Amino acid sequence: MNKCDQCIVRQLSSLKALNKDEVVKLANSKTTYKIKKGEAIFEEGEVTNGVFCIKDGVGKLSKLSANGKDQIVKLVQSGELLGQRSMISNEPANLSAKAVADMEVCFIPKTEILHFFNNNNQFSMNLMQSVCEDLKESENNKIALVQKTVKQRLAETLLQLHDSFGENADKTLKVQLTREELAGIIGTATESCIRLLSDFNKLDLIELVGKKIMLKDIRALKKMAE
């Protein structure tokens, strides 16, 4: 099990505010898990009793809609904390968290997080800022669903995947989502998403390489997303 004081990922989250003694306390309390692609970190309605720090891999936060479809709220990666809002509000998880690619996550018990929260002002400030940023992102996503067309949302999402997660050696997007997952992000039916991707391909904005996607004209996609 890797030591928390040597973990680069810790510097990307609220945990960077912890002092030396608190980092030792963190290392002694955490549990590390390997999460395979498709497996759940936690489910909607579950009481998590702590937070999860993503050390490696990519996950998705999603909510099951009334018609049984999985609406993806956010993609998460190394350095992000999951379950912090539920822990602070003392409520069950409002979203499900699942692995899009194989992940390694560290679970930190609620008792330890609350101890840091009550005794380290910078940590508590960082944690609250992180929660506020999540709420802001959620609000922006809701506005986009109302104000932007599905075509605009798809272009915007492809650009975000490119900017946030990068490319493979073959220039395809590093994060490989299923067509259903991509449709869940932009809020449309899978069939509509497939049709739009085909249209983008014909317009030479992207290239479909099997299940992978390569962005060919980023400038045009940015213009479309506006």
Side-chain angles (χ1 to χ4, degrees):
M1 189 179 296
N2 292 323
K3 295 181 180 179
C4 293
D5 63 342
Q6 298 173 355
C7 182
I8 297 174
V9 169
R10 182 173 63 84
Q11 298 302 320
L12 304 176
S13 72
S14 306
L15 299 173
K16 65 185 176 184
L18 301 184
N19 61 42
K20 186 175 180 180
D21 290 341
E22 289 169 334
V23 171
V24 171
K25 194 173 181 66
L26 171 66
N28 290 334
S29 67
K30 73 169 186 178
T31 306
T32 303
Y33 297 98
K34 301 275 190 179
I35 311 292
K36 294 292 185 182
K37 179 179 179 179
E39 292 181 347
I41 302 171
F42 56 81
E43 298 280 4
E44 183 179 343
E46 183 180 331
V47 177
T48 57
N49 287 319
V51 300
F52 294 86
C53 178
I54 302 177
K55 185 177 180 185
D56 190 32
V58 180
K60 63 178 180 180
L61 296 176
S62 62
K63 190 168 185 65
L64 203 61
S65 63
N67 60 9
K69 289 197 173 184
D70 204 29
Q71 177 69 51
I72 297 179
V73 175
K74 182 183 180 182
L75 293 177
V76 291
Q77 59 181 322
S78 298
E80 297 194 58
L81 297 181
L82 306 180
Q84 49 199 16
R85 189 201 64 79
S86 298
M87 184 203 66
I88 293 172
S89 63
N90 202 29
E91 296 175 341
N94 188 46
L95 304 170
S96 295
K98 294 184 180 180
V100 171
D102 289 353
M103 301 178 71
E104 185 174 355
V105 301
C106 296
F107 175 75
I108 308 164
K110 179 178 180 178
T111 51
E112 299 302 330
I113 293 293
L114 290 181
H115 173 79
F116 302 148
F117 190 86
N118 292 327
N119 293 279
N120 185 319
N121 290 336
Q122 189 58 57
F123 172 77
S124 58
M125 180 62 72
N126 289 352
L127 194 66
M128 294 307 295
Q129 285 177 341
S130 178
V131 171
C132 290
E133 286 169 5
D134 285 343
L135 290 173
K136 180 181 178 181
E137 185 174 347
S138 177
E139 289 171 356
N140 289 339
N141 289 338
K142 288 179 181 178
I143 292 170
L145 283 173
V146 175
Q147 296 183 345
K148 293 194 173 186
T149 66
V150 179
K151 184 182 292 186
Q152 287 176 305
R153 296 199 300 269
L154 177 57
E156 185 175 58
T157 297
L158 292 175
L159 290 168
Q160 287 174 348
L161 291 174
H162 179 272
D163 294 343
S164 299
F165 302 99
E167 301 176 339
N168 294 309
D170 61 0
K171 301 296 183 180
T172 58
L173 294 176
K174 184 167 287 186
V175 173
Q176 186 179 330
L177 300 175
T178 66
R179 300 302 187 249
E180 185 177 6
E181 287 173 331
L182 195 53
I185 292 177
I186 64 176
T188 191
T190 305
E191 296 76 12
S192 297
C193 181
I194 292 172
R195 186 165 56 251
L196 277 174
L197 286 172
S198 178
D199 290 343
F200 280 20
N201 186 58
K202 290 175 183 176
L203 291 170
D204 216 28
L205 300 174
I206 65 172
E207 182 177 340
L208 301 176
V209 186
K211 294 182 179 180
K212 296 181 179 181
I213 300 173
M214 179 195 301
L215 304 193
K216 296 185 69 178
D217 195 336
I218 290 178
R219 182 179 295 180
L221 284 169
K222 286 181 178 178
K223 188 174 181 180
M224 182 178 288
E226 292 176 351

